[in-house]
Structures are given as structure tokens and as C-alpha cells.
Amino acid sequence: MSTCERCGAEFHCAMADAAPGQKPSGAPGETPCWCTFLPPALPVPGEAAAVGCWCPDCLRAHIAALKAP
């Protein structure tokens, strides 16, 4: 399980929460994370990034705020 960097909620991230002993490779056919189905709103964290992933609720709220006038 991953922990949301914004609110602390636990959630599943297919990119970070690979099966035990398996590292996500990004290979074609690998199950994409739920966040890939949402509009891009934040830079994807890399190995050196200080900010981690957000849970579905926080990411959806952020996207909604970006669309608000």
C-alpha cells in the first residue's frame, strides 16, 4: 500500500506497489495505475522527487480545482 503525501490515506498505486519481489518495469502490457486514466495535473514523481503520489480523492480534488475559474 502507498500513503498519500497530501492527506495520509492509504491507497493502491500500481506503479509503486508491485507484487512482492517484483519491481514495476513500465513494460507494455503491465497494468497501469488508476491515475493514468485521469488528466495530467502534476509531474510524475521520479526516484529523486521529494513529493510522492496522492490518493484518488486528493488527485481528483486537485484536478477539479485546476479547472475552476
Side-chain angles (χ1 to χ4, degrees):
M1 292 299 281
S2 290
T3 301
C4 178
E5 290 290 325
R6 192 171 184 198
C7 74
E10 288 192 348
F11 67 100
H12 177 74
C13 172
M15 296 176 75
D17 302 329
Q22 186 179 29
K23 184 175 181 180
S25 66
E30 191 170 49
T31 303
C33 190
W34 57 268
C35 68
T36 63
F37 297 99
L38 297 175
L42 298 168
V44 176
E47 290 181 22
V51 177
C53 292
W54 290 357
C55 70
D57 290 339
C58 286
L59 185 54
R60 286 186 181 107
H62 178 73
I63 291 169
L66 291 175
K67 292 179 181 179

